[in-house]
DNA sequence: AACAGGTGCGCG
DNA sequence: AAAGCGCGCACCTGTT
């Protein structure tokens, strides 16, 4: 059963039952307590809520303790369909001029036109959009796959809101102790230029002394630092750690230590703690579909870049544990399943893919890993050349799959993930830059080849990264539903999804539930593999660790 | 004072 | 000859 929903005014809202094709099945109904109405409908049966966006509608429900199982998120589905239908401007090959930008056919088709301050207007818009989106999915060349993607993306919207509401358990006291140990006491908050923690001040002085400069150098300034290094006879192309590490000079260890600590202080120091951790939880805001490949992004708090040292602060509540699960070597396995390469699929059938590839190409594991990464990322650096050639000879179908995607990108075409997520078309500037000139006298821009190859690397990687994101999203959706659907003879708090990062998920659960959660993770992975890739020899194992502290997972 | 773009580094 | 994919965020620098 589908029910369209529009919130407001206040705690009231509008509901309208829909048939499975999206047409209304009755009149719109006003309810005075929307949350209660949603809870009541969820208790009775399997509802798919049809709403403008979980991002907008769901947090309110969660605050009242109401969860929903399924939804159709017109905002998220709309952005999938817009990406699919986006058409680049006509190539400017003949004239060398970029053709004027023409809105793609689907450009305006899946958007909200009303500001929807009025619930009736929003409900009508939702109902109409939903029907149009269902029809558009049915008209796709691969309707079943796209429908799965739409459902998974919508479920992702639910999971994201639930994870933000639950929060990642975070011990501010441990974090604070860690900072103090590494940086010294927290600098007092005063007006004027911010004070540095003691350890950073100390290092700054030592760095200036080691460089023998009269005026103190600000190590945060690449310009100043490069000048000071040059004055000391050290010439570097940049002040990146990787570059500095190759230099032999007494100041280098000081600089490397400074960089590491300054980064921790700036990105995840006390201010971060004040801003993002409250009530023992870190509550990031996830942006579902925020990356073109379908990976999630985040807004504020740098949720997807928590440094490894801070994992010490992620500690389960008393009587609870963290189940940390990670899809092992996801991208190579995805390539194996995508490409239908028999030999490669056999290599990815179990165990360590890199080791299996190594024995197939007669090299060591590290070489095999470089070859695989080069195949998936488009690298061609000196060391990878030979191993990549071996890889291509031994696994021709896998190599051909990514090379085909690279060629499409270079030629300005788009590529799609296994479930039909489409990469963006090239920009007008790219087309302009790379278009062949009809005028033989006109110099071709020397950057044209580089731009074409860069797009080739992007689409080469897109088919793998986006298909991996498809798999992970379906896995997350399956896990979410397994965790909440589990029968509970004794009332025990439900396990909670608390973190998701590309190929890794953390569930916080009562200790008594840990075995069930681990089993659910494995079941979710198997389900995702079946739904996304059908019958395949490739396995997608998930490693799981049951720990009290995130830092103790692998 | 505010902004844009570059640099650098954290994560996968 | 140059060369790996995708992000978010903080700081610096030059400009308005």
């Amino acid at each position: 059963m589908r029910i369209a929903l529009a919130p407001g005014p206040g705690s009231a809202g509008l509901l309208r039952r829909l048939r499975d094709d999206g047409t209304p099945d009755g009149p719109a109904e006003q309810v005075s307590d929307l949350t209660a109405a949603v809870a009541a409908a969820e208790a009775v049966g399997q509802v798919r809520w049809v709403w403008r966006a979980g991002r907008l509608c769901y947090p309110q429900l969660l605050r009242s303790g109401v969860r929903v199982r399924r939804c159709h998120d017109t905002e998220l589905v709309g952005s999938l369909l817009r990406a699919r239908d986006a058409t680049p401007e006509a190539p400017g090959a003949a004239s060398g001029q970029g053709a004027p930008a023409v809105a793609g056919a689907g450009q305006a088709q899946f958007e909200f036109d009303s500001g929807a301050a009025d619930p009736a207007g929003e409900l009508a818009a939702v109902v109409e959009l939903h029907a149009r989106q269902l029809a558009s999915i049915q008209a796709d060349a691969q309707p079943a796959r796209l429908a799965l993607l739409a459902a998974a993306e919508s479920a992702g919207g639910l999971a994201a809101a639930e994870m933000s509401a639950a929060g990642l358990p975070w011990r501010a006291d441990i974090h604070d102790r860690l900072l103090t140990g590494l940086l010294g006491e927290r600098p007092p908050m005063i007006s004027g230029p911010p004070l540095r923690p003691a350890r950073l001040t100390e290092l700054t002085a030592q760095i200036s002394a080691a460089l023998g400069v009269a005026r103190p150098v600000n190590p945060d300034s690449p310009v100043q630092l490069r000048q000071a290094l040059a004055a000391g006879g050290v010439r570097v192309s940049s002040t990146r750690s990787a570059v500095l590490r190759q230099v032999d000079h007494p100041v280098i260890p000081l600089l490397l230590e400074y960089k590491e600590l300054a980064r921790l202080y700036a990105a995840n120091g006390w201010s971060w703690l004040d801003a993002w951790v409250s009530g023992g939880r870190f509550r990031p805001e996830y942006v579902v579909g925020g990356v073109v490949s379908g990976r999630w992004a985040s807004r504020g708090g740098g949720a997807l870049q928590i440094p490894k040292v801070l994992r010490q602060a992620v500690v389960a509540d008393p009587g609870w544990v963290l189940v940390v699960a990670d899809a092992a070597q996801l991208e190579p396995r995805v390539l194996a399943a995508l490409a239908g390469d028999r030999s490669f699929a056999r290599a990815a059938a179990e165990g360590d893919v890199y080791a299996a590839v190594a024995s197939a190409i007669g090299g060591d594991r590290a070489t095999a890993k470089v070859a695989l990464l080069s195949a998936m990322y488009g690298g061609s650096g000196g060391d990878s050349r030979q191993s990549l050639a071996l890889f291509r000879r031994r696994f021709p179908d896998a190599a051909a799959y990514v090379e085909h995607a690279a060629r499409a990108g270079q030629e300005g075409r788009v590529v799609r993930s296994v479930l039909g997520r489409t990469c963006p078309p090239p920009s007008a500037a790219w087309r302009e830059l790379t278009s062949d000139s009809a005028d033989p006298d006109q110099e071709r821009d020397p950057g044209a080849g580089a731009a074409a190859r860069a797009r080739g690397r992007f689409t080469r990687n897109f088919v793998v990264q986006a298909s991996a994101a498809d798999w992970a999203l379906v896995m997350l959706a399956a896990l979410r539903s397994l965790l909440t659907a589990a029968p509970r003879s004794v009332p025990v708090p439900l396990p909670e999804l608390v973190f998701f990062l590309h190929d890794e998920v953390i569930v916080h659960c009562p200790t008594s539930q840990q075995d069930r959660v681990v089993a659910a993770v494995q079941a979710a992975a198997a389900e995702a593999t079946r739904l996304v890739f059908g019958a395949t020899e490739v396995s997608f194992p998930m490693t799981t660790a049951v720990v009290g502290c995130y830092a103790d997972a692998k």
Side-chain angles (χ1 to χ4, degrees):
Chain A
M1 189 205 336
R2 291 172 190 253
I3 304 177
L5 173 159
S11 57
L14 289 171
L15 302 177
R16 190 166 193 185
R17 298 175 66 119
L18 305 176
R19 299 192 192 90
D20 277 343
D21 65 357
T23 55
D25 189 15
E29 287 175 59
Q30 166 107 33
V31 292
S32 58
D33 185 340
L34 184 61
T35 300
V38 170
E42 276 287 322
V44 174
Q46 291 278 347
V47 180
R48 187 177 298 276
W49 299 96
V50 175
W51 54 34
R52 176 171 178 176
R55 179 177 68 83
L56 302 169
C57 300
Y58 198 31
Q60 173 93 41
L61 294 170
L62 286 171
R63 274 193 290 276
S64 311
V66 175
R67 289 184 174 231
V68 306
R69 277 168 285 190
R70 303 190 302 171
C71 77
H72 176 108
D73 187 311
T74 61
E75 191 175 271
L76 293 175
V77 174
S79 103
L80 291 174
L81 294 172
R82 273 198 306 280
R84 182 197 63 179
D85 296 339
T87 50
E89 318 79 66
S95 62
Q97 304 285 317
V102 174
Q107 206 67 28
Q109 200 177 339
F110 303 113
E111 267 166 27
F112 262 79
D113 25 83
S114 72
D118 71 307
E122 172 159 334
L123 187 75
V126 162
V127 169
E128 203 202 319
L129 253 184
H130 168 247
R132 226 160 40 204
Q133 291 179 346
L134 289 184
S136 177
I137 289 167
Q138 283 314 305
D140 192 83
Q142 299 273 4
R145 291 183 181 197
L146 195 56
L148 173 59
L149 182 60
E153 191 87 336
S154 296
L158 299 177
E162 288 162 3
M163 284 191 278
S164 293
L168 182 64
W170 198 281
R171 287 275 300 275
D173 57 328
I174 294 178
H175 187 162
D176 174 66
R177 225 175 306 139
L178 190 84
L179 291 175
T180 305
L182 292 169
L183 297 163
E185 290 296 324
R186 178 178 193 170
M189 287 191 276
I190 52 155
S191 56
L195 295 175
R196 273 196 253 246
R199 183 65 190 140
L200 291 182
T201 307
E202 212 173 278
L203 280 166
T204 304
Q206 290 171 356
I207 286 164
S208 297
L211 286 168
V213 287
R215 288 215 284 156
V217 176
N218 176 4
D220 290 329
S221 163
V223 175
Q224 282 184 36
L225 191 53
R226 258 187 94 190
Q227 274 173 5
L229 284 166
V234 178
R235 302 173 60 95
V236 286
S237 56
S238 87
T239 61
R240 290 199 190 100
S241 298
V243 173
L244 295 182
R245 250 185 276 278
Q246 290 160 16
V247 175
D248 184 28
H249 187 282
V251 79
I252 299 300
L254 298 170
L255 278 174
L256 294 177
E257 186 182 355
Y258 178 90
K259 278 173 173 285
E260 198 177 322
L261 294 178
R263 166 78 192 183
L264 180 66
Y265 174 60
N268 298 98
W270 290 278
S271 317
W272 181 91
L273 206 40
D274 289 346
W276 296 103
V277 176
S278 64
R281 296 289 187 268
F282 169 41
R283 299 174 196 281
E285 189 186 339
Y286 295 96
V287 184
V288 177
V291 180
V292 288
S293 65
R295 283 181 169 187
W296 293 9
S298 69
R299 192 157 32 222
L304 308 186
Q305 311 143 242
I306 301 170
K308 287 189 170 157
V309 286
L310 285 188
R311 293 181 181 187
Q312 294 172 59
V314 180
V315 178
D317 290 349
W320 290 55
V321 289
L322 299 168
V323 177
V324 180
D326 179 288
Q329 304 169 331
L330 180 57
E331 292 195 350
R333 291 174 194 280
V334 163
L335 175 56
L338 270 177
D341 184 313
R342 294 292 307 248
S343 323
F344 195 20
R346 214 163 301 129
E350 53 189 293
D352 181 349
V353 181
Y354 300 130
V357 168
S359 77
I361 65 176
D364 60 9
R365 188 178 181 281
T367 309
K369 188 171 178 177
V370 168
L372 251 174
L373 293 180
S374 296
M376 292 188 300
Y377 291 161
S380 54
D383 296 349
S384 64
R385 241 190 145 72
Q386 202 157 17
S387 47
L388 190 53
L390 283 169
F391 178 82
R392 192 179 290 121
R393 197 169 318 143
R394 190 66 184 76
F395 306 110
D397 294 339
Y401 191 90
V402 285
E403 278 155 20
H404 182 261
R407 202 171 322 120
Q410 287 204 34
E411 292 169 1
R413 287 178 281 132
V414 297
V415 295
R416 301 178 85 180
S417 73
V418 60
L419 293 185
R421 193 184 302 266
T422 310
C423 82
S427 68
W430 185 91
R431 300 182 74 82
E432 177 64 25
L433 184 60
T434 57
S435 65
D436 280 309
S437 172
D439 176 0
D441 294 334
Q442 189 178 329
E443 289 262 325
R444 192 184 160 90
D445 190 303
R453 284 191 296 277
R455 184 169 164 83
R457 289 192 300 276
F458 167 63
T459 50
R460 171 194 291 267
N461 182 251
F462 183 94
V463 292
V464 177
Q465 186 185 115
S467 299
D470 287 350
W471 183 92
L473 192 63
V474 172
M475 184 278 296
L476 183 72
L479 177 58
R480 173 180 174 272
S481 101
L482 286 170
L483 291 179
T484 48
R488 290 177 297 161
S489 41
V490 252
V492 159
L494 279 175
E496 284 179 322
L497 278 166
V498 290
F499 194 62
F500 176 57
L501 179 55
H502 311 323
D503 59 1
E504 181 177 344
V505 60
I506 303 181
V507 179
H508 188 216
C509 70
T511 305
S512 64
Q513 304 287 300
Q514 65 180 61
D515 293 342
R516 266 202 27 226
V517 170
V518 169
V521 167
Q522 299 303 339
E527 175 80 346
T529 304
R530 186 182 68 76
L531 287 172
V532 175
F533 294 112
T536 174
E537 200 178 338
V538 180
S539 69
F540 290 82
M542 293 199 77
T543 62
T544 54
V546 180
V547 292
C549 173
Y550 189 16
D552 297 332
K554 99 178 177 181

